[in-house]
Amino acid sequence: MNSPGKLLFKIDAGGCLGGRLRVPGDKSISHRVIMLGSLALGVTRVSGFLEGEDSLATLQAFRRMGVSIEGPDKGCVTIQGVGMHGLQQPDGPLDLGNSGTSMRLLAGLMSGQAFPVTLTGDSSLCSRPMRRITEPLARMGARIESSSEGTAPLRIECGGALVGINYLMPVASAQVKSSLLLAGLYAEGDTCVSEPAPTRDHTERMLHGFGYQVSRNGNRICLTGGGMLTASDLDIPADISSAAFFLVGATIAEKSDLILEHVGINPTRDGVINILRQMGADIEVLNLRSVGGEQVADLRVRSADLRGVRIPPDQVPLAIDEFPALFIAAACADGETVLTGAAELRVKESDRIQVMADGLIALGVDARPTADGMIIKGGSIAGGRVLSHGDHRIAMAFAMAALRSDKPIVVEDCANVNTSFPGFVDLAATAGLAIRSYKEA
Ligand code: S3P
């Protein structure tokens, strides 16, 4: 694990982005392929795997449960599946670092195992809400102990035979949906999850790719427990959530013209493209194709003048990880941008409403946080020093803001950028961002 608090980014003001680049592999898909590949019968060969700390935490967890996994080597991973009942008890708690996806999805999967396990993580992960999964999992028969605040470490006891449930999620969360579906693989009968709004559907698509039947009827997703998974090779597309920083950067920086290659544009993830286009962005979708059951394209983005918008509520879950970047776009837009219905941002790796508002205000932007969103009046960005609170996406969003600032921007606490985007500084510098990282004594 890195040592948070020491690494800083310094980005000189101005410049533009250009060329062609491929950002690292999709984080959500990388987690899931380790999980399903481990439980499958046969060998799963993966390319495009994200070698970031979050997905590596999942990989390491399965190694510790006896799965033989080769790599990653330049994004290639080979998983020797052990079958649905082949995992072994690890020799101590599984440390999932900063990764909410690892914790919540594994909690579901571990509830169906014949051994106890403890899931833990860093201070950010151990302060994030887990009742959203522990309560429905308990209704399925899982026995999970958490802190009195409902946070990790989670101690998952073995034994309780699981039974399928019908669950209407109170929040639109792909992690909750996936956690219950993964527990449902081990449950008696049907497990059905209804979502209040569409959320990323990688779990359903990948289960299908591994030969497991999952049905969708409107907003209700169901599977029947007791089946098996068959190994399936996978080429993971570049992560649209990482591409988002470059979509915003190239839009706000004059004279930019950038191509982002092989980006996953699954319709449950494309809110950032829709919102930026509504604001006036010039984003072209080129070479649209289907790869491993996911839609992939090259995205060409050129500078454009943006206008403030009211962000449509239906786009919020489809862009949930992209708001730090979108807030920077809003700060450069003509007029007011209003986000509502996004209270979930307060329980991400940091409180992304408060932390982004504090940073924007420190840079001289008119930003007003609300309980479930933000109101940002576009204008100039002065430059200065901001705190990322160890949140990878906040650090990368503020790095892009320097393309339009009057003076340099310094971002503190950037080590966690490695959780989702190893090599960010070098790739961004290649594209034209005047960024360097350094350690402060
Ligand atoms: C994820 C789901 C989202 C997202 C997270 C990854 C996933 O979380 O913010 O980065 O891979 O399922 P929620 O389900 O909490 O919205």
Side-chain angles (χ1 to χ4, degrees):
M1 284 287 127
N2 52 54
S3 47
K6 298 232 175 72
L7 193 77
L8 292 91
F9 290 166
K10 180 167 186 199
I11 314 98
D12 289 333
C16 64
L17 299 184
R20 299 179 76 93
L21 56 91
R22 179 165 170 167
V23 301
D26 189 281
K27 182 152 77 75
S28 294
I29 298 177
S30 294
H31 285 297
R32 286 159 171 80
V33 78
I34 295 292
M35 297 181 190
L36 299 194
S38 294
L39 296 175
L41 281 182
V43 180
T44 293
R45 287 181 192 82
V46 184
S47 57
F49 182 78
L50 170 66
E51 297 185 32
E53 288 170 5
D54 277 11
S55 39
L56 290 173
T58 294
L59 186 153
Q60 197 51 31
F62 280 85
R63 271 196 185 132
R64 291 198 46 215
M65 291 189 286
V67 183
S68 161
I69 305 176
E70 271 169 53
D73 179 17
K74 298 191 190 71
C76 293
V77 173
T78 305
I79 309 160
Q80 310 283 338
V82 296
M84 296 302 290
H85 299 283
L87 296 178
Q88 293 160 21
Q89 181 169 1
D91 57 3
L94 297 176
D95 185 348
L96 304 168
N98 194 242
S99 177
T101 308
S102 311
M103 170 89 52
R104 295 200 177 112
L105 271 56
L106 269 180
L109 208 52
M110 292 298 108
S111 297
Q113 306 304 315
F115 52 82
V117 70
T118 298
L119 306 179
T120 189
D122 69 9
S123 58
S124 156
L125 184 53
C126 288
S127 62
R128 295 180 65 184
M130 291 297 151
R131 284 201 182 108
R132 56 182 58 198
I133 50 154
T134 56
E135 282 176 359
L137 287 171
R139 282 180 46 196
M140 294 178 77
R143 290 185 295 143
I144 307 181
E145 263 175 48
S146 61
S147 76
S148 54
E149 287 83 43
T151 54
L154 301 181
R155 163 111 187 138
I156 303 170
E157 300 295 342
C158 62
L162 300 183
V163 284
I165 54 167
N166 267 310
Y167 189 65
L168 170 59
M169 291 192 292
V171 286
S173 163
Q175 291 180 351
V176 174
K177 171 178 66 177
S178 303
S179 182
L180 302 185
L181 291 177
L182 293 174
L185 298 175
Y186 292 92
E188 200 188 305
D190 293 347
T191 297
C192 295
V193 185
S194 301
E195 39 187 19
T199 67
R200 65 191 67 193
D201 62 0
H202 305 298
T203 302
E204 299 92 298
R205 283 174 193 257
M206 203 183 290
L207 280 168
H208 178 77
F210 278 74
Y212 208 102
Q213 208 190 327
V214 182
S215 66
R216 171 181 278 272
N217 195 345
N219 68 339
R220 188 160 183 260
I221 302 113
C222 296
L223 57 73
T224 308
M228 57 176 254
L229 298 163
T230 308
S232 174
D233 294 347
L234 192 65
D235 175 18
I236 301 179
D239 197 329
I240 192 169
S241 297
S242 297
F245 303 104
F246 291 91
L247 292 176
V248 168
T251 298
I252 64 173
E254 267 181 33
K255 300 196 177 77
S256 292
D257 186 352
L258 183 69
I259 294 187
L260 295 157
E261 294 173 341
H262 207 71
V263 181
I265 55 161
N266 176 317
T268 59
R269 297 284 298 281
D270 66 357
V272 64
I273 298 177
N274 303 332
I275 295 167
L276 283 173
R277 278 184 170 159
Q278 193 190 346
M279 296 175 81
D282 177 359
I283 301 172
E284 261 183 275
V285 175
L286 306 170
N287 306 322
L288 184 61
R289 54 219 184 251
S290 172
V291 178
E294 293 279 352
Q295 273 179 305
V296 172
D298 303 324
L299 302 178
R300 180 173 185 186
V301 52
R302 283 175 277 193
S303 342
D305 292 332
L306 296 179
R307 54 185 172 270
V309 295
R310 283 191 157 269
I311 294 175
D314 64 326
Q315 293 298 314
V316 171
L318 312 183
I320 195 68
D321 289 339
E322 285 65 79
F323 285 103
L326 286 166
F327 291 152
I328 301 301
C332 300
D334 186 20
E336 217 167 60
T337 295
V338 182
L339 171 68
T340 55
E344 275 295 295
L345 293 180
R346 292 202 177 270
V347 291
K348 294 294 179 188
E349 286 83 328
S350 71
D351 175 346
R352 288 186 174 158
I353 292 177
Q354 195 58 51
V355 172
M356 282 303 298
D358 290 346
L360 287 167
I361 292 164
L363 298 180
V365 176
D366 180 351
R368 275 163 290 154
T370 62
D372 67 346
M374 183 119 67
I375 303 167
I376 297 173
K377 197 157 171 242
S380 58
I381 301 178
R385 196 170 172 111
V386 295
L387 304 178
S388 76
H389 288 265
D391 184 327
H392 53 139
R393 299 201 198 282
I394 301 240
M396 291 185 274
F398 280 121
M400 290 296 168
L403 289 161
R404 277 283 285 271
S405 64
D406 300 330
K407 294 218 166 91
I409 293 178
V410 171
V411 190
E412 287 189 27
D413 228 349
C414 298
N416 278 340
V417 165
N418 280 331
T419 60
S420 67
F421 201 146
F424 170 74
V425 169
D426 289 346
L427 201 65
T430 307
L433 190 70
I435 182 170
R436 67 184 177 88
S437 62
Y438 63 100
K439 290 219 169 174
E440 202 165 59

